[in-house]
């Protein structure tokens, strides 16, 4: 599309990844192939030399995957994107592309569990050092930077504590020290937050969550702000074989079209659910960026276009009461993941963050009684009635 720079976000969701199809297909076709035939030996040589745009092999590139990469790069305002088999394949690729033995990374403590897990196991084994801290504390971020620090890796809002880090300030600190600023934008999606506009160099998503949005695919993507960054990341993905499959790309291309209306609807529900929970006599606290009681409410208003659809809370009865709630919901599914059309509830201390030591969980604010609630697009009255009947059993 020649005029895509002039289109609004909703129009880009529908038209951003499309190139004119020779047969007029309204959707991007699935090129379910592992390899591509060359017209002749010279053309094959040109493809390998990078002198032709022709496709070679699907691990390296594929037209269906390329359409999705183009789409997401446009939405996140980056130079280009690199699709991966999962969100964790995106994390691994980013670490591998930028870190070497002897380097140090500063990262958010309440980060997606396995992103910290692989750093503290595999990457430590290769001599990469790491410091995990609350990145909403800018002084702590500054103090943690060492001469060998190479990367500042921010997740905001955090999973599952819903802390907000100031992206503009964090990226500025990173650049003062020559670090690459990486942001996990999974919880917001580009509909609510675009970190490259705030200074990030590299943004990534677990597209398993809001971008695909239908709980039927695991997928990831990395968006690079510049061509140089893109050319640093892409070979790491190709070399390690972290590529997406064409059918997976097709599914995400289909899901992303409704990103705006899905997130807007889930968020509308979440605002009401957070308010309901905050007023409920059995609830001890609620953490949701759309509540005035949230410690970084003003910052959330400034850097996000909305508070999103993720809520964390704890009941006055702690873990015991939380278990009764989670065992008795009927509409909400007791399941990990988020960002889909359906409402999910889960217990981070025994599920998503169970591999983290109890000490590190407590430092990161993940109490044993914390319940994570991912609000879906069902009718609000049904979500609230479900919580109501389950809370009544405590
Ligand atoms: C799910 C998730 C990931 C990992 O993505 P997968 O697609 O499950 O590999 C990374 N970061 C966040 C914030 C997530 O929610």
């Amino acid at each position: 599309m020649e005029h895509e720079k002039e289109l609004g976000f909703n129009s880009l969701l529908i038209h951003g990844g499309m190139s004119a199809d020779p047969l007029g297909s309204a959707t991007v076709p699935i090129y379910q192939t592992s390899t591509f035939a060359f017209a002749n030996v010279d053309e094959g040589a040109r493809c390998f030399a990078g002198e032709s745009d022709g496709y070679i092999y699907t691990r390296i590139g594929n037209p269906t995957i390329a359409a999705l990469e183009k789409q997401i790069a446009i939405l996140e305002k980056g130079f280009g994107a690199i699709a991966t088999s999962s969100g964790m394949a995106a994390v691994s690729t980013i670490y591998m592309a930028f870190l070497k033995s002897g380097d140090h990374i500063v990262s958010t403590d309440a980060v997606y569990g396995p992103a910290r897990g692989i750093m503290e196991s595999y990457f430590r084994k290769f001599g990469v050092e790491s410091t995990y801290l609350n990145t909403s504390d800018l002084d702590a971020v500054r103090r943690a930077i060492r001469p060998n620090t190479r990367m500042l890796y921010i997740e905001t809002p955090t999973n599952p504590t819903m802390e907000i880090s100031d992206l503009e300030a964090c990226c500025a600190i990173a650049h003062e020290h020559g670090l690459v600023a990486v942001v996990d934008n999974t919880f917001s999606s580009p509909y609510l937050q675009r970190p490259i506009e705030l200074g990030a160099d590299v943004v990534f998503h677990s597209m398993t969550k809001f971008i695909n949005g239908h709980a039927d695919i695991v997928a990831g993507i990395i968006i690079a702000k510049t061509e140089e960054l893109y050319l640093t990341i892409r070979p790491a993905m190709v070399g390690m074989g972290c590529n997406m499959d064409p059918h997976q790309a097709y599914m995400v291309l289909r899901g992303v079209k409704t990103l705006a209306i899905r997130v807007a609807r889930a968020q509308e529900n979440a605002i009401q659910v957070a308010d309901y929970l905050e007023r409920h006599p059995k609830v001890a606290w609620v953490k949701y960026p759309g509540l005035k009681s949230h410690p970084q409410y003003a910052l959330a208003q400034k850097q996000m276009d909305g508070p999103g659809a993720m809520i964390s809370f704890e009941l006055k009865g702690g873990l015991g009461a939380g278990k009764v709630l989670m065992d008795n919901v009927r509409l909400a599914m007791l399941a990990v993941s988020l960002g889909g059309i359906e409402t999910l509830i889960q217990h981070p201390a025994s599920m998503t963050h169970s591999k983290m030591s109890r000490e590190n969980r407590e430092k990161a604010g993940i109490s044993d009684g914390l319940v994570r609630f991912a609000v879906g697009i069902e009718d609000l009255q049904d979500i609230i009635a479900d919580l109501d009947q389950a809370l009544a059993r405590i």
Side-chain angles (χ1 to χ4, degrees):
M1 299 251 322
E2 292 305 316
H3 60 291
E4 65 201 12
K5 292 223 160 51
E6 298 150 31
L7 295 177
F9 192 89
N10 290 280
S11 306
L12 288 174
L13 286 176
I14 311 302
H15 302 287
M18 290 293 288
S19 307
D21 180 76
L23 300 179
S25 172
T27 60
V28 178
I30 313 175
Y31 286 87
Q32 194 70 47
T33 182
S34 58
T35 195
F36 296 82
F38 307 121
N40 51 52
V41 173
D42 285 344
E43 172 59 14
R46 273 195 295 278
C47 285
F48 272 92
E51 292 158 10
S52 155
D53 291 339
Y55 289 96
I56 299 170
Y57 185 63
T58 282
R59 177 160 50 74
I60 302 171
N62 173 289
T64 313
I65 300 169
L68 177 64
E69 292 172 331
K70 181 180 162 203
Q71 162 90 297
I72 306 296
I74 291 169
L75 298 175
E76 284 284 6
K77 312 268 177 91
F79 167 82
I82 300 118
T84 56
S85 55
S86 68
M88 280 311 299
V91 176
S92 315
T93 299
I94 291 167
Y95 289 163
M96 287 298 263
F98 291 100
L99 301 171
K100 63 179 188 314
S101 176
D103 282 349
H104 173 243
I105 162 179
V106 174
S107 182
T108 310
D109 50 7
V111 75
Y112 184 72
R116 179 171 181 170
I118 60 166
M119 177 52 64
E120 291 182 335
S121 54
Y122 302 106
F123 285 84
R124 176 176 292 169
K125 197 173 75 176
F126 293 119
V128 179
E129 300 168 355
S130 54
T131 302
Y132 285 89
L133 49 80
N134 183 343
T135 47
S136 63
D137 179 349
L138 297 174
D139 287 331
V141 172
R142 278 194 200 91
R143 279 197 304 273
I145 294 172
R146 307 175 188 167
N148 61 335
T149 307
R150 175 79 182 100
M151 179 183 291
L152 179 61
Y153 177 117
I154 307 277
E155 188 177 316
T156 179
T158 52
N159 177 21
T161 51
M162 302 308 294
E163 283 276 318
I164 314 275
S165 297
D166 186 332
L167 284 177
E168 209 167 0
C170 283
C171 294
I173 294 170
H175 295 148
E176 271 165 42
H177 294 86
L179 319 182
V180 58
V182 176
V183 178
D184 182 341
N185 202 28
T186 301
F187 264 41
S188 300
S189 88
Y191 178 63
L192 296 179
Q193 178 170 277
R194 288 159 306 280
I196 287 177
E197 290 180 342
L198 301 169
D201 302 304
V202 176
V203 175
F204 75 92
H205 287 273
S206 166
M207 298 198 293
T208 313
K209 317 296 168 50
F210 288 102
I211 291 184
N212 180 58
H214 290 74
D216 50 9
I217 274 289
V218 170
I221 200 157
I222 305 163
I223 305 95
K225 181 182 187 173
T226 65
E227 182 172 16
E228 190 191 346
L229 290 162
Y230 175 83
L231 294 174
T232 302
I233 301 164
R234 181 133 207 130
M237 180 283 284
V238 171
M240 293 193 300
C242 291
N243 62 287
M244 176 172 277
D245 177 83
H247 183 258
Q248 217 180 346
Y250 174 81
M251 296 289 279
V252 184
L253 278 165
R254 179 181 158 117
V256 73
K257 290 187 168 126
T258 53
L259 175 70
I261 55 173
R262 280 186 286 104
V263 177
R265 167 62 178 259
Q267 176 175 263
E268 243 172 69
N269 283 344
I271 290 168
Q272 299 299 324
V273 170
D275 186 55
Y276 161 83
L277 287 169
E278 197 166 54
R279 287 160 194 266
H280 198 285
K282 289 180 183 168
V283 174
W285 54 261
V286 182
K287 198 96 171 276
Y288 177 64
L291 289 174
K292 293 221 168 69
S293 58
H294 190 287
Q296 295 107 16
Y297 175 76
L299 175 60
Q301 296 267 310
K302 188 181 118 202
Q303 84 180 9
M304 300 170 74
D305 292 339
M310 296 297 298
I311 301 171
S312 67
F313 63 95
E314 183 161 343
L315 299 178
K316 284 181 182 154
L319 178 58
K323 271 189 176 163
V324 176
L325 167 72
M326 288 182 273
D327 282 342
N328 283 287
V329 285
R330 296 182 194 137
L331 181 82
M333 275 165 58
L334 178 60
V336 301
S337 199
L338 59 112
I341 47 197
E342 63 287 291
T343 296
L344 304 177
I345 194 166
Q346 70 111 349
H347 178 232
S350 69
M351 296 173 187
T352 48
H353 292 70
S354 57
K355 301 278 187 301
M356 223 168 147
S357 70
R358 193 199 188 107
E359 189 197 343
N360 282 344
R361 273 204 307 271
E362 276 169 8
K363 267 196 217 149
I366 307 168
S367 54
D368 278 349
L370 187 149
V371 176
R372 193 183 80 176
F373 200 62
V375 184
I377 64 169
E378 300 95 337
D379 286 300
L380 175 66
Q381 75 230 38
D382 294 333
I383 299 171
I384 290 190
D386 186 34
L387 285 169
D388 225 24
Q389 64 81 22
L391 284 165
R393 290 167 185 264
I394 296 162

